[in-house]
């Protein structure tokens, strides 16, 4: 059990380190030169962080050979949700500013509907994979995906790292 705890701790620590660096980089911009703003956190960085998270998730779960066979559809779903999230974030960044608070609320509603559809597609893809996991493995997934439960607030899709690229 000690080796498992160390492996899980190491995988989670590494992922948190990458996520922390990515979050810091998301907000950090270099000094503009001649009116240009250079983004430090690139699409390639986002892809690298996603790859690291997927590798860490597999490491934390310690998949059996039979479970490995069920992994590809779930990974593909995660990658699609992340790519769609990134595309929505870019679209939002390029959109004209909202005219008023109703436009803001309308955009929030559209985003939540779309995130809900993405979550449903992920759940559908993940069901066969998760059904093959042990209870111990199942218990490791929620926190790793960013599902932290605050008893004072409802769980929001924004807490899941699947959607963080939308906020970049």
């Amino acid at each position: 059990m000690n080796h498992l705890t160390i492996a899980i701790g190491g995988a989670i620590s590494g992922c948190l380190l990458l996520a922390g660096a990515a979050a810091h980089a998301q907000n950090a911009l270099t000094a503009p030169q001649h009116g240009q703003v250079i983004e430090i956190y690139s699409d390639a960085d986002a892809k690298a962080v996603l790859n690291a998270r997927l590798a860490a998730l597999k490491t934390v779960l310690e998949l059996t050979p039979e479970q490995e066979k069920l992994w590809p559809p779930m990974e593909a779903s995660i990658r699609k949700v992340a790519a769609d999230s990134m595309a929505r974030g870019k679209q939002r960044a390029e959109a004209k500013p909202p005219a008023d608070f109703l436009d803001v609320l309308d955009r929030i509603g559209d985003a939540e509907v779309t995130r809900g559809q993405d979550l449903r597609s992920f759940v559908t893809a993940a069901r066969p994979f998760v059904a093959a996991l042990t209870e111990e493995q199942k218990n490791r997934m929620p926190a790793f995906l960013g599902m932290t439960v605050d008893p004072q607030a409802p769980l929001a899709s924004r807490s899941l790292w699947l959607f963080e690229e939308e906020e970049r």
Side-chain angles (χ1 to χ4, degrees):
M1 184 66 180
N2 236 358
H3 296 289
L4 176 59
T5 303
I6 291 169
I8 291 171
I12 291 173
S13 296
C15 195
L16 289 175
L17 181 62
L18 280 173
H24 176 72
Q26 285 177 343
N27 296 323
L29 299 175
T30 60
Q33 294 178 349
H34 306 291
Q36 293 181 335
V37 177
I38 300 171
E39 186 176 353
I40 293 174
Y41 187 77
S42 68
D43 290 352
D45 295 332
K47 181 180 177 184
V49 169
L50 179 60
N51 288 339
R53 284 182 167 153
L54 288 167
L57 179 58
K58 285 180 75 173
T59 300
V60 165
L61 293 176
E62 297 181 315
L63 302 178
T64 66
E66 288 303 311
Q67 292 167 336
E68 279 280 351
K69 294 175 186 174
L70 299 170
W71 173 259
M74 191 173 98
E75 179 178 342
S77 178
I78 290 171
R79 288 187 183 282
K80 182 176 182 337
V81 168
D84 290 350
S85 177
M86 181 181 285
R88 285 191 304 272
K90 288 180 180 181
Q91 182 181 25
R92 189 182 70 240
E94 295 170 359
K96 66 181 182 179
D100 56 27
F101 75 96
L102 292 175
D103 281 350
V104 172
L105 292 174
D106 193 40
R107 290 178 187 187
I108 291 169
D110 288 345
E112 289 303 313
V113 167
T114 304
R115 285 180 179 173
Q117 291 167 341
D118 282 349
L119 278 174
R120 289 188 189 283
S121 70
F122 168 73
V123 168
T124 298
R127 279 200 193 280
F129 173 77
V130 172
L133 298 178
T134 66
E135 288 305 312
E136 288 176 337
Q137 290 170 312
K138 289 177 189 176
N139 289 336
R140 296 176 198 157
M141 282 191 72
F144 196 85
L145 292 174
M147 292 178 66
T148 55
V149 179
D150 176 357
Q152 303 301 319
L155 181 64
S157 60
R158 293 178 75 178
S159 69
L160 301 172
W161 57 258
L162 298 170
F163 298 109
E164 77 180 5
E165 290 304 320
E166 195 168 341
E167 305 302 321
R168 171 156 80 101

